[in-house]
Amino acid sequence: DIQMTQSPSSLSASVGDRVTITCRASQGISNYLAWYQQKPGKVPKLLIYAASTLQSGVPSRFSGSGSGTDFTLTISSLQPEDVATYYCQKYNSAPPGLTFGGGTKVEIK
Amino acid sequence: QVQLVQSGAEVKKPGASVKVSCKASGYTFTSYGISWVRQAPGQGLEWMGWISAYNGNTNYAQKLQGRVTMTTDTSTSTAYMELRSLRSDDTAVYYCARDWTTVTSVCGYWGQGTLVTVSS
C-alpha cells in the first residue's frame, strides 16, 4: 500500500506569513493528490485536487504543486480563518483507493 | 444542491455491529461513488472504503477487510456502511463522502458525520 507522509505535523505562524506544508508519497502517484481543510469541530472540505486544481470558491491564497512523490500546499498569506488541520490524500481509480496523510495542524502565532 | 444526510449517533457494545446510513439528494445517485471515512477522537482521517452507486463494486481498506460491508439502495438513494465485531478503537465519527466528479474519486461532498461509540 502507498503511504502518505505529511510534514510538519503542526506549525504556528503569524498572520500574513507564507505557510508551506509538504506531503510525500511512498511511490509515485502522478498528480492524483488532493488537499483537505478541516476546521475544529467541522466536516473536512476539499481544497485542491489533481495536485494543483483549486476547487471553486477556495481563496486564491491557497495553491498546490507537485507530481510523482513530492507535493506542497502553500498558503501565500495566512489568515485567521485558515486555522485548521490540513490533510493530503492520494487517490486513484479502477477501483478507487484513497489514503490520507497524517495531517498538519496550522495555528496562529 | 448536493446533500448527504447521515443517521444518528450510536452506542454499541464490543463485539456488536453498527450500520450507518447516508441519504443522498440533489444529484443522480447512480452517477457517483461514495467513500466512507472515519476519524477517531483527536485523530486524523482514515479512509475505510468506496462503493460504486452504479453497480455496487467496492474497494475496502485492507485493514478493515472482512469486518466492513458497504452497500447502496438505489431506490432510496441511500448508502450504507456496516462494521462488525466492534472494538473500542472503532469509536469514531464516521463520514460518507461523494466523489467530486464522475471520474475523480476525491471526497467532494461530505455528510455531517455519525458518532459511533463502542463501550461496555
Side-chain angles (χ1 to χ4, degrees):
Chain A
D1 281 1
I2 296 175
Q3 306 302 315
M4 305 301 294
T5 303
Q6 281 184 242
S7 60
S9 56
S10 66
L11 66 89
S12 181
S14 299
V15 172
D17 282 355
R18 183 181 184 89
V19 168
T20 299
I21 299 167
T22 63
C23 178
R24 176 163 289 175
S26 60
Q27 300 175 37
I29 57 171
S30 184
N31 68 336
Y32 294 106
L33 193 283
W35 290 97
Y36 297 85
Q37 175 193 64
Q38 186 178 32
K39 296 185 177 182
K42 300 296 186 182
V43 176
K45 172 187 173 183
L46 176 65
L47 291 180
I48 289 169
Y49 61 98
S52 60
T53 302
L54 218 61
Q55 193 198 4
S56 175
V58 173
S60 58
R61 63 181 179 273
F62 290 91
S63 64
S65 64
S67 183
T69 60
D70 294 313
F71 301 87
T72 299
L73 172 69
T74 299
I75 307 173
S76 60
S77 177
L78 187 67
Q79 300 301 304
E81 59 266 33
D82 300 335
V83 168
T85 300
Y86 294 84
Y87 296 91
C88 65
Q89 180 199 50
K90 75 91 175 170
Y91 62 97
N92 56 272
S93 58
L98 288 67
T99 305
F100 287 97
T104 297
K105 187 174 184 179
V106 174
E107 297 176 320
I108 299 290
K109 193 180 294 182
Chain B
Q1 72 283 19
V2 175
Q3 276 196 305
L4 300 171
V5 179
Q6 299 183 221
S7 49
E10 304 261 13
V11 179
K12 296 290 184 182
K13 293 194 182 304
S17 298
V18 68
K19 192 169 187 177
V20 179
S21 68
C22 170
K23 184 169 177 59
S25 61
Y27 70 96
T28 301
F29 181 69
T30 52
S31 294
Y32 298 84
I34 297 277
S35 281
W36 288 87
V37 176
R38 69 180 181 177
Q39 186 169 37
Q43 302 301 308
L45 302 172
E46 178 185 13
W47 178 76
M48 302 177 66
W50 174 92
I51 182 167
S52 166
Y54 173 70
N55 57 17
N57 285 351
T58 55
N59 187 31
Y60 301 137
Q62 192 169 7
K63 172 183 177 181
L64 296 172
Q65 288 270 4
R67 284 209 299 140
V68 67
T69 301
M70 296 175 188
T71 57
T72 59
D73 181 344
T74 57
S75 69
T76 60
S77 299
T78 303
Y80 298 91
M81 185 284 300
E82 181 179 32
L83 188 62
R84 300 175 293 279
S85 302
L86 288 169
R87 310 186 289 246
S88 58
D89 62 357
D90 291 317
T91 294
V93 175
Y94 289 75
Y95 296 101
C96 62
R98 198 206 80 174
D99 289 353
W100 176 233
T101 72
T102 56
V103 296
T104 305
S105 57
V106 296
C107 304
Y109 298 91
W110 294 68
Q112 84 276 19
T114 297
L115 175 62
V116 175
T117 302
V118 182
S119 174
S120 54

